Amino acid sequence: MQHVLSVAQMGEADRRTIAGGTPGIDLMEAAGGGVADEICAEYGPEVRILVLAGPGNNGGDGFVIARLLEERGYQVVVGLLGAPERLKGDALLAFEGMSGEAVAAEAALVADADVIVDALFGAGLDRPLEGPARELAEAVNARRRQGARVVAVDLPSGVSGDTGAILANAEGGVAVEADFTVTFCRMKPGHLLYPGCGLCGEVRVVDIGIPDRIVDEVVGEAPGLHLNEPDLWRAAWRAPGVRDHKYTRGHAVVAGGPVHATGAARLSAGAALRIGAGLVTLASPSQAVAVNAAHLTAVMIRPVDDAAGFSALLADGRLNAVVAGPGFGVGAAMRAVVLAVLAGENPQRAVVLDADALTSFAENPQGLFDVISASACRDVVLTPHEGEFARLFPDLTDENVSRVQRAREAARISGATVLLKGADTVIAGPDGRAAICNNAVAWLASAGSGDVLAGIIGGLLAQGLSGFDAAAMGAWCHGEAGRVAGAGLIAEDLAPSLKPVIARLAADCDSTSKDN
C-alpha cells in the first residue's frame, strides 16, 4: 500500500532517520541524486539547465542536483534566492560542495534556460510566494509557455503540501507549473489534490534511504492516508471460485425512479451486476415496470411503489445491498424509502446513498445521520459531489481546508463512509482512514457516470466488502473503466468497459494465490 504522508509526517520520518544515525546531508545527497538521475533520463547534456535554489533544504537539494549534473557534463547555472550567508546546516554543506558559483536568482535568468529546476521551496511551504519568489515563479511559467521544460523538486513552489492549494494572499496566489515533479520517500497530499495535482505533471517518487519501518511507525500513530490503488483493498475482494454460484455472490437492490426518469437506476443496476453481484433487482414503480423491462434482461424487476413496499422486499435477508437515490426524485417519498432501507434488523445489509437520496435530506442532514447511527446495517456509503456535500455538510465547505480533512470530518459526523467525488475523489471512513484517487479521466464528466459508480459500489457491498473497501475499489474500477472506454465515452459505455478491468484484477488474484 502506498502511504501518502502529510508534511508533518514526512518531517518526522526525516527526523527519525537522522536520529537513527543517517546524516542529514546523506539524505540530501540521495534526494539530489534521484532528481539528477531523472533529469538525465529525460534530457541530454546539450540542454542548458537553470537550477533555482531557495534558502532552505529544498535549495540544498538543488545545489546537489547542480553539482551532479555538472559532473555529468551538463551546462548548469545556479540562481540562489537570498544571500549565501543565510544558508545553514545541510543546505550550506551542499552549497559549499558545488564547484561553481551561484548567482542571484532573477527573473531574467530563465530566458536562456532549456530546462528549469524548481528547487525554491518544497512541500513544507506554508505561506504564499511574494516579492522576488513570486516574480521567479511567474517568469518560470512564462518561459515554460515558450517551450522550456520545468522539473519541480519535491513539489512545485507555491503549492501546499497538505492541501494541494495554491498558497495565496489578498492579491491571489502563484505557483510553478512543472512538467514533472520528483518527490522523496512517499507522495504528499499536494501531489494528488487539485489544483496542486495539475501543476505537478507526472510525479516520480525516489527512495532516499528512509526505511519503510520508520514510515510505518510514523503513519501507525494516526489514521492512514493512502493512494487508492489495488494493494489497498485487493485482499478484501476475490474473484468467483469454481464452487461459487449466484447466491454466494450477494444480491443487490436498486431503487428505481418514475417512468420519465428510469435510466439512472438502470445504469446503477447494470453496473452492480457487471462488477460481480450474483443477483440484482431493480425495485421499480409499477408505472415504470414496462419501460424498465424493455431495457433489462439479466437484471430482475420487482414492482415497488412506496416505502412499505421496500420494507416488504427487504424482509428477505438475502438482499444484502441497496443503492438508493439515482433518478428517484427529491422529496418526502425519497426520504421515506431511505428510512425504510436503513430500518430493520438485518446486520448483513449495506447501503449506498447517492444523488437524490442525499439532497432529500438537505434541510435536515442530522436527521439522516442519526438514523445511520442507529441503523443495524453493517455499512452505509454516501457518494456526494461537491454540491451535494455542501447541502449535507454546510459547515465543511471552506476551500482552504483539504478535501481529505473535509471528507474525514464528514465521515465522522455522519457515521458513514464518505466518497467525495471529483477529479481527485477522496474516500474517508468513520475510523479516519482515507484514500485519494488519481486515475480518473476527464471524459467521466458525463451524465450518468455517477449512477454507474453508485452501482459498482453497491455490487461490491453485495459481495461482502466493507463500506470503505467497496467505495475505494469502486472508485478505482470506475476510473479504470473510463480509461478503457476512452474519449467520447457516455455512461452506457462504462459497465461493459469494466470487463477488462475485472479480468486484470482476477488475474492478479490468481497470480497472488499461486505465489502463496
Side-chain angles (χ1 to χ4, degrees):
M1 292 185 290
Q2 285 205 46
H3 293 294
V4 178
L5 299 185
S6 70
V7 171
Q9 287 174 325
M10 187 66 239
E12 180 63 12
D14 277 338
R15 187 194 69 76
R16 293 190 188 191
T17 302
I18 293 169
T22 301
I25 188 63
D26 287 1
L27 296 179
M28 188 170 284
E29 286 285 336
V35 179
D37 289 344
E38 294 294 336
I39 290 172
C40 291
E42 290 288 335
Y43 313 110
E46 70 281 357
V47 300
R48 298 166 296 177
I49 296 178
L50 170 64
V51 177
L52 293 174
N57 282 345
N58 200 245
D61 296 338
F63 302 141
V64 174
I65 295 164
R67 189 194 81 234
L68 294 175
L69 291 176
E70 283 186 337
E71 291 174 357
R72 300 177 193 184
Y74 286 77
Q75 309 169 59
V76 182
V77 173
V78 178
L80 173 60
L81 180 65
E85 294 76 19
R86 292 177 56 196
L87 298 171
K88 59 185 179 181
D90 297 327
L92 177 58
L93 291 176
F95 178 77
E96 293 173 343
M98 291 194 303
S99 58
E101 297 292 324
V103 300
E106 298 177 349
L109 288 176
V110 306
D112 295 325
D114 301 311
V115 176
I116 302 169
V117 179
D118 167 26
L120 292 169
F121 302 99
L125 184 68
D126 60 1
R127 63 190 185 282
L129 298 183
E130 297 177 329
R134 183 184 181 108
E135 293 172 7
L136 281 172
E138 290 172 338
V140 168
N141 292 342
R143 179 72 181 115
R144 182 173 179 267
R145 288 190 287 271
Q146 295 171 346
R149 301 295 87 190
V150 177
V151 180
V153 179
D154 194 22
L155 190 72
S157 295
V159 174
S160 165
D162 280 333
T163 70
I166 297 174
L167 297 162
N169 53 24
E171 299 175 0
V174 174
V176 169
E177 301 165 8
D179 292 283
F180 68 88
T181 296
V182 184
T183 194
F184 315 117
C185 183
R186 300 292 190 276
M187 282 196 274
K188 321 306 179 295
H191 296 120
L192 297 167
L193 297 172
Y194 281 91
C197 175
L199 300 174
C200 288
E202 179 188 357
V203 178
R204 306 177 187 182
V205 182
V206 299
D207 179 8
I208 61 171
I210 295 176
D212 290 343
R213 169 185 56 81
I214 286 180
V215 174
D216 291 340
E217 289 174 359
V218 170
V219 301
E221 295 164 7
L225 175 62
H226 298 90
L227 177 63
N228 187 22
E229 292 187 316
D231 284 349
L232 179 62
W233 36 260
R234 191 196 311 272
W237 177 83
R238 65 177 181 84
V242 294
R243 299 183 66 185
D244 275 313
H245 48 78
K246 61 187 177 183
Y247 295 108
T248 64
R249 301 294 290 170
H251 190 156
V253 177
V254 178
V259 69
H260 64 277
T262 57
R266 285 199 303 274
L267 287 169
S268 294
L273 193 64
R274 179 68 71 182
I275 201 65
L279 303 100
V280 177
T281 293
L282 176 59
S284 169
S286 297
Q287 290 184 340
V289 165
V291 175
N292 284 316
H295 289 274
L296 296 173
T297 304
V299 172
M300 299 178 290
I301 300 172
R302 179 82 171 264
V304 175
D305 289 307
D306 52 26
F310 264 95
S311 297
L313 175 63
L314 295 177
D316 184 343
R318 295 174 298 177
L319 279 58
N320 64 336
V322 181
V323 178
F328 191 95
V330 175
M334 180 80 265
R335 288 193 295 274
V337 166
V338 170
L339 297 179
V341 166
L342 293 174
E345 302 299 326
N346 182 1
Q348 301 305 314
R349 186 186 307 159
V351 179
V352 183
L353 300 180
D354 181 47
D356 295 343
L358 305 177
T359 300
S360 291
F361 286 88
E363 294 184 6
N364 183 23
Q366 189 58 50
L368 173 62
F369 306 154
D370 290 343
V371 172
I372 291 172
S373 214
S375 175
C377 293
R378 65 176 177 86
D379 277 300
V380 177
V381 180
L382 311 180
T383 58
H385 55 55
E386 280 287 0
E388 293 158 346
F389 186 91
R391 293 175 200 130
L392 284 184
F393 306 100
D395 296 332
L396 299 178
T397 57
D398 186 348
E399 293 183 356
N400 294 316
V401 177
S402 160
R403 277 169 61 85
V404 173
Q405 185 176 337
R406 291 165 55 216
R408 276 176 163 159
E409 183 64 9
R412 185 193 67 80
I413 291 170
S414 66
T417 295
V418 173
L419 185 150
L420 178 53
K421 292 186 282 196
D424 48 0
T425 290
V426 175
I427 302 101
D431 59 358
R433 285 185 300 162
I436 307 173
C437 300
N438 73 337
N439 68 331
V441 295
W443 293 100
L444 285 170
S446 178
S449 175
D451 304 319
V452 173
L453 174 60
I456 293 172
I457 296 170
L460 292 170
L461 289 171
Q463 294 170 65
L465 274 70
S466 71
F468 183 86
D469 289 333
M473 181 176 175
W476 185 86
C477 289
H478 186 253
E480 292 300 297
R483 292 175 182 270
V484 171
L489 71 82
I490 59 174
E492 288 94 324
D493 298 328
L494 292 174
S497 296
L498 284 168
K499 287 188 67 176
V501 177
I502 298 166
R504 200 161 87 229
L505 291 172
D508 288 344
C509 287
D510 289 343
S511 173
T512 301
S513 63
K514 290 175 183 176
D515 290 341
N516 292 335

PDB file of all heavy atoms in Angstrom, residues 365-390:
ATOM      1  N   PRO A 365     -29.972  17.272   7.571  1.00  0.00           N
ATOM      2  CA  PRO A 365     -28.953  16.226   7.447  1.00  0.00           C
ATOM      3  C   PRO A 365     -28.701  15.480   8.745  1.00  0.00           C
ATOM      4  O   PRO A 365     -28.441  14.272   8.723  1.00  0.00           O
ATOM      5  CB  PRO A 365     -27.710  16.984   6.979  1.00  0.00           C
ATOM      6  CG  PRO A 365     -27.963  18.419   7.285  1.00  0.00           C
ATOM      7  CD  PRO A 365     -29.438  18.596   7.227  1.00  0.00           C
ATOM      8  N   GLN A 366     -28.812  16.171   9.868  1.00  0.00           N
ATOM      9  CA  GLN A 366     -28.567  15.489  11.138  1.00  0.00           C
ATOM     10  C   GLN A 366     -29.585  14.383  11.365  1.00  0.00           C
ATOM     11  O   GLN A 366     -29.260  13.342  11.968  1.00  0.00           O
ATOM     12  CB  GLN A 366     -28.605  16.485  12.294  1.00  0.00           C
ATOM     13  CG  GLN A 366     -28.148  15.900  13.635  1.00  0.00           C
ATOM     14  CD  GLN A 366     -26.738  15.337  13.567  1.00  0.00           C
ATOM     15  OE1 GLN A 366     -25.814  16.008  13.100  1.00  0.00           O
ATOM     16  NE2 GLN A 366     -26.557  14.103  14.018  1.00  0.00           N
ATOM     17  N   GLY A 367     -30.800  14.575  10.871  1.00  0.00           N
ATOM     18  CA  GLY A 367     -31.797  13.520  10.971  1.00  0.00           C
ATOM     19  C   GLY A 367     -31.339  12.257  10.262  1.00  0.00           C
ATOM     20  O   GLY A 367     -31.518  11.137  10.766  1.00  0.00           O
ATOM     21  N   LEU A 368     -30.741  12.417   9.086  1.00  0.00           N
ATOM     22  CA  LEU A 368     -30.191  11.266   8.358  1.00  0.00           C
ATOM     23  C   LEU A 368     -29.060  10.629   9.153  1.00  0.00           C
ATOM     24  O   LEU A 368     -28.997   9.398   9.292  1.00  0.00           O
ATOM     25  CB  LEU A 368     -29.699  11.708   6.984  1.00  0.00           C
ATOM     26  CG  LEU A 368     -28.936  10.657   6.169  1.00  0.00           C
ATOM     27  CD1 LEU A 368     -29.826   9.450   5.856  1.00  0.00           C
ATOM     28  CD2 LEU A 368     -28.389  11.260   4.880  1.00  0.00           C
ATOM     29  N   PHE A 369     -28.161  11.459   9.677  1.00  0.00           N
ATOM     30  CA  PHE A 369     -27.004  10.916  10.393  1.00  0.00           C
ATOM     31  C   PHE A 369     -27.438  10.163  11.651  1.00  0.00           C
ATOM     32  O   PHE A 369     -26.845   9.128  11.999  1.00  0.00           O
ATOM     33  CB  PHE A 369     -26.030  12.041  10.760  1.00  0.00           C
ATOM     34  CG  PHE A 369     -25.592  12.887   9.593  1.00  0.00           C
ATOM     35  CD1 PHE A 369     -25.186  14.203   9.784  1.00  0.00           C
ATOM     36  CD2 PHE A 369     -25.582  12.372   8.300  1.00  0.00           C
ATOM     37  CE1 PHE A 369     -24.779  14.988   8.721  1.00  0.00           C
ATOM     38  CE2 PHE A 369     -25.189  13.158   7.216  1.00  0.00           C
ATOM     39  CZ  PHE A 369     -24.791  14.465   7.440  1.00  0.00           C
ATOM     40  N   ASP A 370     -28.465  10.658  12.297  1.00  0.00           N
ATOM     41  CA  ASP A 370     -28.970   9.967  13.491  1.00  0.00           C
ATOM     42  C   ASP A 370     -29.514   8.584  13.126  1.00  0.00           C
ATOM     43  O   ASP A 370     -29.300   7.598  13.855  1.00  0.00           O
ATOM     44  CB  ASP A 370     -30.070  10.791  14.157  1.00  0.00           C
ATOM     45  CG  ASP A 370     -29.533  12.058  14.822  1.00  0.00           C
ATOM     46  OD1 ASP A 370     -28.308  12.142  15.041  1.00  0.00           O
ATOM     47  OD2 ASP A 370     -30.344  12.962  15.102  1.00  0.00           O
ATOM     48  N   VAL A 371     -30.212   8.511  11.998  1.00  0.00           N
ATOM     49  CA  VAL A 371     -30.762   7.218  11.562  1.00  0.00           C
ATOM     50  C   VAL A 371     -29.630   6.260  11.185  1.00  0.00           C
ATOM     51  O   VAL A 371     -29.670   5.064  11.514  1.00  0.00           O
ATOM     52  CB  VAL A 371     -31.731   7.418  10.377  1.00  0.00           C
ATOM     53  CG1 VAL A 371     -32.153   6.074   9.796  1.00  0.00           C
ATOM     54  CG2 VAL A 371     -32.956   8.199  10.824  1.00  0.00           C
ATOM     55  N   ILE A 372     -28.613   6.777  10.489  1.00  0.00           N
ATOM     56  CA  ILE A 372     -27.458   5.935  10.137  1.00  0.00           C
ATOM     57  C   ILE A 372     -26.807   5.391  11.399  1.00  0.00           C
ATOM     58  O   ILE A 372     -26.454   4.217  11.509  1.00  0.00           O
ATOM     59  CB  ILE A 372     -26.441   6.742   9.304  1.00  0.00           C
ATOM     60  CG1 ILE A 372     -27.017   7.049   7.913  1.00  0.00           C
ATOM     61  CG2 ILE A 372     -25.122   5.985   9.174  1.00  0.00           C
ATOM     62  CD1 ILE A 372     -26.161   7.998   7.085  1.00  0.00           C
ATOM     63  N   SER A 373     -26.664   6.271  12.396  1.00  0.00           N
ATOM     64  CA  SER A 373     -26.005   5.870  13.641  1.00  0.00           C
ATOM     65  C   SER A 373     -26.772   4.768  14.355  1.00  0.00           C
ATOM     66  O   SER A 373     -26.181   3.857  14.948  1.00  0.00           O
ATOM     67  CB  SER A 373     -25.932   7.099  14.543  1.00  0.00           C
ATOM     68  OG  SER A 373     -24.825   7.110  15.282  1.00  0.00           O
ATOM     69  N   ALA A 374     -28.089   4.834  14.285  1.00  0.00           N
ATOM     70  CA  ALA A 374     -28.925   3.853  14.986  1.00  0.00           C
ATOM     71  C   ALA A 374     -29.202   2.614  14.143  1.00  0.00           C
ATOM     72  O   ALA A 374     -29.750   1.634  14.650  1.00  0.00           O
ATOM     73  CB  ALA A 374     -30.250   4.502  15.380  1.00  0.00           C
ATOM     74  N   SER A 375     -28.824   2.618  12.867  1.00  0.00           N
ATOM     75  CA  SER A 375     -29.177   1.533  11.959  1.00  0.00           C
ATOM     76  C   SER A 375     -28.401   0.258  12.265  1.00  0.00           C
ATOM     77  O   SER A 375     -27.228   0.300  12.675  1.00  0.00           O
ATOM     78  CB  SER A 375     -28.909   1.961  10.514  1.00  0.00           C
ATOM     79  OG  SER A 375     -29.141   0.881   9.618  1.00  0.00           O
ATOM     80  N   ALA A 376     -29.055  -0.872  12.022  1.00  0.00           N
ATOM     81  CA  ALA A 376     -28.388  -2.172  12.155  1.00  0.00           C
ATOM     82  C   ALA A 376     -27.573  -2.513  10.918  1.00  0.00           C
ATOM     83  O   ALA A 376     -26.845  -3.510  10.911  1.00  0.00           O
ATOM     84  CB  ALA A 376     -29.432  -3.258  12.398  1.00  0.00           C
ATOM     85  N   CYS A 377     -27.700  -1.726   9.845  1.00  0.00           N
ATOM     86  CA  CYS A 377     -26.951  -2.008   8.615  1.00  0.00           C
ATOM     87  C   CYS A 377     -25.453  -2.031   8.902  1.00  0.00           C
ATOM     88  O   CYS A 377     -24.938  -1.197   9.656  1.00  0.00           O
ATOM     89  CB  CYS A 377     -27.248  -0.949   7.560  1.00  0.00           C
ATOM     90  SG  CYS A 377     -28.940  -0.980   6.956  1.00  0.00           S
ATOM     91  N   ARG A 378     -24.760  -2.944   8.267  1.00  0.00           N
ATOM     92  CA  ARG A 378     -23.333  -3.093   8.580  1.00  0.00           C
ATOM     93  C   ARG A 378     -22.501  -1.938   8.033  1.00  0.00           C
ATOM     94  O   ARG A 378     -21.466  -1.594   8.597  1.00  0.00           O
ATOM     95  CB  ARG A 378     -22.800  -4.426   8.051  1.00  0.00           C
ATOM     96  CG  ARG A 378     -22.796  -4.593   6.545  1.00  0.00           C
ATOM     97  CD  ARG A 378     -22.150  -5.912   6.140  1.00  0.00           C
ATOM     98  NE  ARG A 378     -22.203  -6.137   4.697  1.00  0.00           N
ATOM     99  CZ  ARG A 378     -21.299  -5.686   3.843  1.00  0.00           C
ATOM    100  NH1 ARG A 378     -20.277  -4.961   4.263  1.00  0.00           N
ATOM    101  NH2 ARG A 378     -21.422  -5.939   2.547  1.00  0.00           N
ATOM    102  N   ASP A 379     -22.933  -1.335   6.934  1.00  0.00           N
ATOM    103  CA  ASP A 379     -22.177  -0.234   6.343  1.00  0.00           C
ATOM    104  C   ASP A 379     -23.111   0.666   5.562  1.00  0.00           C
ATOM    105  O   ASP A 379     -24.052   0.187   4.912  1.00  0.00           O
ATOM    106  CB  ASP A 379     -21.086  -0.742   5.391  1.00  0.00           C
ATOM    107  CG  ASP A 379     -19.812  -1.143   6.112  1.00  0.00           C
ATOM    108  OD1 ASP A 379     -19.219  -0.270   6.776  1.00  0.00           O
ATOM    109  OD2 ASP A 379     -19.425  -2.323   6.015  1.00  0.00           O
ATOM    110  N   VAL A 380     -22.814   1.965   5.587  1.00  0.00           N
ATOM    111  CA  VAL A 380     -23.509   2.940   4.750  1.00  0.00           C
ATOM    112  C   VAL A 380     -22.448   3.767   4.041  1.00  0.00           C
ATOM    113  O   VAL A 380     -21.467   4.199   4.661  1.00  0.00           O
ATOM    114  CB  VAL A 380     -24.425   3.868   5.580  1.00  0.00           C
ATOM    115  CG1 VAL A 380     -25.072   4.917   4.679  1.00  0.00           C
ATOM    116  CG2 VAL A 380     -25.481   3.047   6.313  1.00  0.00           C
ATOM    117  N   VAL A 381     -22.638   3.972   2.747  1.00  0.00           N
ATOM    118  CA  VAL A 381     -21.718   4.773   1.938  1.00  0.00           C
ATOM    119  C   VAL A 381     -22.481   5.948   1.347  1.00  0.00           C
ATOM    120  O   VAL A 381     -23.534   5.759   0.715  1.00  0.00           O
ATOM    121  CB  VAL A 381     -21.087   3.941   0.796  1.00  0.00           C
ATOM    122  CG1 VAL A 381     -20.137   4.805  -0.030  1.00  0.00           C
ATOM    123  CG2 VAL A 381     -20.342   2.730   1.355  1.00  0.00           C
ATOM    124  N   LEU A 382     -21.985   7.146   1.557  1.00  0.00           N
ATOM    125  CA  LEU A 382     -22.535   8.356   0.943  1.00  0.00           C
ATOM    126  C   LEU A 382     -21.608   8.776  -0.189  1.00  0.00           C
ATOM    127  O   LEU A 382     -20.386   8.801  -0.022  1.00  0.00           O
ATOM    128  CB  LEU A 382     -22.632   9.494   1.964  1.00  0.00           C
ATOM    129  CG  LEU A 382     -23.280   9.177   3.314  1.00  0.00           C
ATOM    130  CD1 LEU A 382     -23.294  10.426   4.196  1.00  0.00           C
ATOM    131  CD2 LEU A 382     -24.691   8.643   3.129  1.00  0.00           C
ATOM    132  N   THR A 383     -22.195   9.140  -1.349  1.00  0.00           N
ATOM    133  CA  THR A 383     -21.366   9.437  -2.525  1.00  0.00           C
ATOM    134  C   THR A 383     -21.682  10.827  -3.089  1.00  0.00           C
ATOM    135  O   THR A 383     -22.129  10.958  -4.233  1.00  0.00           O
ATOM    136  CB  THR A 383     -21.576   8.370  -3.615  1.00  0.00           C
ATOM    137  OG1 THR A 383     -22.961   8.320  -3.963  1.00  0.00           O
ATOM    138  CG2 THR A 383     -21.122   7.005  -3.138  1.00  0.00           C
ATOM    139  N   PRO A 384     -21.446  11.879  -2.342  1.00  0.00           N
ATOM    140  CA  PRO A 384     -21.796  13.217  -2.833  1.00  0.00           C
ATOM    141  C   PRO A 384     -20.760  13.812  -3.772  1.00  0.00           C
ATOM    142  O   PRO A 384     -19.554  13.553  -3.640  1.00  0.00           O
ATOM    143  CB  PRO A 384     -21.842  14.039  -1.538  1.00  0.00           C
ATOM    144  CG  PRO A 384     -20.814  13.387  -0.661  1.00  0.00           C
ATOM    145  CD  PRO A 384     -20.920  11.913  -0.971  1.00  0.00           C
ATOM    146  N   HIS A 385     -21.223  14.619  -4.726  1.00  0.00           N
ATOM    147  CA  HIS A 385     -20.310  15.554  -5.394  1.00  0.00           C
ATOM    148  C   HIS A 385     -20.271  16.810  -4.534  1.00  0.00           C
ATOM    149  O   HIS A 385     -20.926  16.894  -3.476  1.00  0.00           O
ATOM    150  CB  HIS A 385     -20.748  15.820  -6.832  1.00  0.00           C
ATOM    151  CG  HIS A 385     -22.137  16.314  -7.027  1.00  0.00           C
ATOM    152  ND1 HIS A 385     -22.645  17.450  -6.409  1.00  0.00           N
ATOM    153  CD2 HIS A 385     -23.175  15.836  -7.775  1.00  0.00           C
ATOM    154  CE1 HIS A 385     -23.890  17.661  -6.759  1.00  0.00           C
ATOM    155  NE2 HIS A 385     -24.252  16.673  -7.582  1.00  0.00           N
ATOM    156  N   GLU A 386     -19.494  17.813  -4.943  1.00  0.00           N
ATOM    157  CA  GLU A 386     -19.296  18.982  -4.087  1.00  0.00           C
ATOM    158  C   GLU A 386     -20.610  19.683  -3.722  1.00  0.00           C
ATOM    159  O   GLU A 386     -20.784  20.129  -2.594  1.00  0.00           O
ATOM    160  CB  GLU A 386     -18.344  19.974  -4.758  1.00  0.00           C
ATOM    161  CG  GLU A 386     -16.873  19.610  -4.624  1.00  0.00           C
ATOM    162  CD  GLU A 386     -16.312  19.837  -3.231  1.00  0.00           C
ATOM    163  OE1 GLU A 386     -17.055  20.293  -2.341  1.00  0.00           O
ATOM    164  OE2 GLU A 386     -15.126  19.555  -3.025  1.00  0.00           O
ATOM    165  N   GLY A 387     -21.542  19.774  -4.671  1.00  0.00           N
ATOM    166  CA  GLY A 387     -22.807  20.437  -4.382  1.00  0.00           C
ATOM    167  C   GLY A 387     -23.612  19.686  -3.336  1.00  0.00           C
ATOM    168  O   GLY A 387     -24.156  20.289  -2.396  1.00  0.00           O
ATOM    169  N   GLU A 388     -23.709  18.376  -3.490  1.00  0.00           N
ATOM    170  CA  GLU A 388     -24.446  17.560  -2.519  1.00  0.00           C
ATOM    171  C   GLU A 388     -23.740  17.560  -1.166  1.00  0.00           C
ATOM    172  O   GLU A 388     -24.392  17.577  -0.113  1.00  0.00           O
ATOM    173  CB  GLU A 388     -24.598  16.137  -3.060  1.00  0.00           C
ATOM    174  CG  GLU A 388     -25.501  16.067  -4.288  1.00  0.00           C
ATOM    175  CD  GLU A 388     -25.266  14.830  -5.152  1.00  0.00           C
ATOM    176  OE1 GLU A 388     -24.240  14.147  -4.965  1.00  0.00           O
ATOM    177  OE2 GLU A 388     -26.111  14.569  -6.030  1.00  0.00           O
ATOM    178  N   PHE A 389     -22.420  17.549  -1.210  1.00  0.00           N
ATOM    179  CA  PHE A 389     -21.639  17.595   0.027  1.00  0.00           C
ATOM    180  C   PHE A 389     -21.963  18.872   0.805  1.00  0.00           C
ATOM    181  O   PHE A 389     -22.166  18.846   2.025  1.00  0.00           O
ATOM    182  CB  PHE A 389     -20.151  17.524  -0.304  1.00  0.00           C
ATOM    183  CG  PHE A 389     -19.243  17.418   0.891  1.00  0.00           C
ATOM    184  CD1 PHE A 389     -18.867  16.176   1.386  1.00  0.00           C
ATOM    185  CD2 PHE A 389     -18.749  18.549   1.520  1.00  0.00           C
ATOM    186  CE1 PHE A 389     -18.028  16.073   2.496  1.00  0.00           C
ATOM    187  CE2 PHE A 389     -17.910  18.465   2.625  1.00  0.00           C
ATOM    188  CZ  PHE A 389     -17.548  17.219   3.117  1.00  0.00           C
ATOM    189  N   ALA A 390     -22.019  19.996   0.093  1.00  0.00           N
ATOM    190  CA  ALA A 390     -22.307  21.276   0.750  1.00  0.00           C
ATOM    191  C   ALA A 390     -23.701  21.284   1.367  1.00  0.00           C
ATOM    192  O   ALA A 390     -23.926  21.924   2.403  1.00  0.00           O
ATOM    193  CB  ALA A 390     -22.153  22.421  -0.253  1.00  0.00           C
TER     194      ALA A 390
END
